[in-house]
Amino acid sequence: MSRLWVRIFTGMLLSNAIAMVGVVLAYQPRVGDHRERVRARDASVIARVAELALDARDELGVAGATRVLDDARATTGLRVSVADARGNVILGDAEPAVAIAAVESAARDRVGVPLGPPYEFWQGVRVRDGWVAVGEPTQPEDVLGVSPPVMQLLVVALLAMFVSGLLARWTSGPLRTLREASQRLLAGRGEVRVAPGISRWADSEARALAQDFDRMAERIEGLLASRERLLRDVSHELRSPLARLNVALELARERVTDDAQPLLDRIQKESERLDELIGLVLSMAKLDQASQAAESTTFALDRLLIDVCDDAAFEAESVGRRIELISSAPFTIVGDEELLRQAIENVVRNGLRWTPEGTAVEVSLRREKHEDGPATILIEVRDQGPGVPDDALEEIFQPFARVDTARERSAGGVGLGLAITARALALHGGDARAQNVDGGGLRVTLELPLRHEGGGLA
């Protein structure tokens, strides 16, 4: 949102700057015309003062002429001197070089035109008997007349910056409020409403957008509440019949012959499978609804991984397979321990399901450095199974995903384990990905952010 504020502020400031430049350009011809009028007026005054000074010299001597020149400087603001046709200063205190330049300029009848650098403000005007009046304003900047007022323009620029900042804030403020509300809504932080916080001085379109957002937020909250109620109802309505079914199965075992036992075993197996499926569906639904891990505790990730591998090793031995923890490193992290345990178990048990009999599922825990980013924690689980097609490596983390390989539904699983793993990692700021290994097998990598050296923060 700060970028939007900067763009609005910059746009307004540029528009003001362009307007001020336009004013200066339009004003410049007037400045030039005024300068010419001021110089022509000064030339006339300089000539008149020189005439008076020459008359005073004839009547009162040099002292009288000097008084005339001093009085003229006090009253008109012009410093006047008189030079002869060769540039010798007769009256006044002009420098010889200035007097010579003034004589040359007067010889060309350049009345009202400055002598040029470094005598930019001096003028030379011919008077009687070949005398030349040499004059300069005592405050040369006055010659510029109504020049572009730099200080005024600076004040206007600062005022334009201030007003542009206020307008930019006024324009982007409602959008900033909407963004903050969207983040709260995404995080599931209770009821979110925007319209009451929008100023009544805000733009009508912004107020209308805030009202639309409030209606959308109300609708989303209603849908989420309905979904939560549905999950609770599904959990209760489905699991209650399953519980009664299991009770009925136990009673049936006591009353049927041995020939019917295999059928009852099959019913019980499917009942357990259905119960597992319901639990996974509910877990997936809850994870999809969450925006962050429900609980956070500090625990040793390496210890958790060892416990998962030890538990899975009992199942592996019964089917002629092994679990090998080939490498590990100590990491203490903050996160939902049970959720991460389930995520890792899903991957390890998935590897056991597909690795051939007599082979091992290899598990490792290590730290990985990145040149363009912070270091991460990697948990890698590799099986020796058939792998999956390369174009399906991302799909296996989707709910109920199936690929056309030996990993078929008949081989076990309901297609939710890896999806739950991916969602659990995402809630901890991590990621899950899969890769086929040269020589056979699938490697699933679980990545968690490493927030500081010596430990992780999931």
Side-chain angles (χ1 to χ4, degrees):
M1 193 58 63
S2 59
R3 293 182 179 178
L4 175 62
W5 185 93
V6 170
R7 288 197 294 268
I8 296 175
F9 175 77
T10 304
M12 292 181 176
L13 199 59
L14 286 176
S15 64
N16 285 317
I18 292 172
M20 285 190 289
V21 170
V23 170
V24 171
L25 292 178
Y27 193 70
Q28 197 64 33
R30 293 180 55 197
V31 173
D33 293 342
H34 187 79
R35 286 175 178 173
E36 293 300 324
R37 289 194 299 270
V38 169
R39 288 195 173 103
R41 180 201 66 192
D42 288 349
S44 177
V45 174
I46 290 170
R48 179 59 180 162
V49 170
E51 291 280 0
L52 293 175
L54 289 172
D55 291 341
R57 189 193 67 165
D58 293 341
E59 297 178 5
L60 305 174
V62 174
T66 301
R67 284 196 299 271
V68 171
L69 296 179
D70 292 340
D71 291 342
R73 178 181 301 186
T75 56
T76 65
L78 294 172
R79 184 171 61 178
V80 180
S81 300
V82 180
D84 61 18
R86 290 178 296 181
N88 298 316
V89 178
I90 305 302
L91 299 174
D93 55 1
E95 298 179 4
V98 176
I100 294 172
V103 169
E104 293 176 352
S105 176
R108 293 191 293 270
D109 292 329
R110 298 178 63 191
V111 177
V113 178
L115 303 184
Y119 314 116
E120 181 178 358
F121 298 102
W122 288 88
Q123 295 187 67
V125 185
R126 288 189 299 175
V127 292
R128 68 172 186 252
D129 300 332
W131 301 104
V132 175
V134 184
E136 177 200 35
T138 55
Q139 295 182 349
E141 61 270 15
D142 291 344
V143 178
L144 300 180
V146 191
S147 61
V150 177
M151 290 303 299
Q152 290 89 328
L153 289 178
L154 180 60
V155 171
V156 171
L158 293 176
L159 182 61
M161 292 177 63
F162 177 73
V163 174
S164 297
L166 291 180
L167 290 176
R169 184 176 181 84
W170 175 73
T171 304
S172 63
L175 296 180
R176 186 184 304 109
T177 302
L178 284 170
R179 182 187 179 189
E180 293 172 354
S182 300
Q183 292 174 342
R184 293 197 304 272
L185 182 64
L186 180 62
R189 299 177 184 172
E191 185 177 282
V192 178
R193 297 296 182 269
V194 176
I198 299 295
S199 171
R200 61 190 182 92
W201 302 108
D203 188 76
S204 58
E205 284 80 4
R207 293 197 303 271
L209 179 60
Q211 293 170 358
D212 292 341
F213 178 90
D214 287 350
R215 287 192 291 269
M216 178 192 69
E218 184 177 1
R219 178 62 174 165
I220 291 175
E221 290 169 3
L223 291 174
L224 292 177
S226 299
R227 178 181 179 181
E228 188 174 352
R229 287 194 300 270
L230 177 61
L231 290 176
R232 289 197 302 265
D233 294 342
V234 167
S235 177
H236 179 269
E237 296 300 330
L238 289 181
R239 279 184 163 156
S240 294
L242 282 175
R244 294 193 293 270
L245 177 60
N246 289 330
V247 172
L249 282 173
E250 294 301 325
L251 295 175
R253 290 183 187 278
E254 299 175 358
R255 301 180 183 181
V256 300
T257 62
D258 294 340
D259 295 339
Q261 290 295 337
L263 297 177
L264 296 178
D265 291 341
R266 182 64 180 178
I267 294 174
Q268 183 173 4
K269 181 178 180 181
E270 294 301 328
S271 175
E272 293 172 352
R273 181 183 176 87
L274 181 59
D275 185 65
E276 178 188 5
L277 176 59
I278 293 172
L280 290 174
V281 170
L282 293 176
S283 297
M284 190 66 204
K286 291 178 181 178
L287 290 177
D288 280 340
Q289 186 174 343
S291 59
Q292 59 185 2
E295 298 181 1
S296 291
T297 58
T298 303
F299 61 94
L301 182 61
D302 54 317
R303 185 69 259 175
L304 173 64
L305 185 62
I306 292 173
D307 292 342
V308 171
C309 291
D310 289 343
D311 292 342
F314 290 105
E315 298 181 15
E317 291 178 2
S318 64
V319 292
R321 298 170 175 85
R322 304 185 311 278
I323 297 291
E324 294 182 358
L325 184 59
I326 59 176
S327 65
S328 181
F331 290 105
T332 300
I333 70 171
V334 178
D336 190 326
E337 182 175 3
E338 289 305 316
L339 185 57
L340 288 177
R341 179 190 297 274
Q342 183 181 8
I344 298 172
E345 281 184 346
N346 289 341
V347 178
V348 172
R349 295 181 188 279
N350 185 76
L352 282 177
R353 184 177 298 119
W354 302 115
T355 197
E357 186 175 353
T359 62
V361 174
E362 299 176 349
V363 183
S364 65
L365 172 63
R366 61 185 176 88
R367 174 181 180 274
E368 183 175 74
K369 294 183 178 179
H370 299 276
E371 294 182 357
D372 56 348
T376 56
I377 303 171
L378 295 184
I379 301 174
E380 294 180 338
V381 180
R382 177 193 174 180
D383 62 45
Q384 308 295 328
V388 299
D390 290 339
D391 57 358
L393 289 173
E394 295 183 3
E395 295 180 8
I396 62 175
F397 294 102
Q398 300 299 322
F400 301 105
R402 290 296 165 184
V403 294
D404 188 17
T405 65
R407 296 175 181 259
E408 298 174 347
R409 185 177 297 274
S410 59
V414 295
L416 281 175
L418 293 182
I420 291 176
T421 294
R423 182 57 181 158
L425 267 291
L427 292 178
H428 288 82
D431 185 29
R433 57 183 181 270
Q435 177 185 10
N436 287 314
V437 183
D438 294 339
L442 182 72
R443 179 189 294 116
V444 177
T445 302
L446 309 181
E447 184 175 15
L448 290 170
L450 179 63
R451 304 295 173 82
H452 59 83
E453 294 298 327
L457 181 60

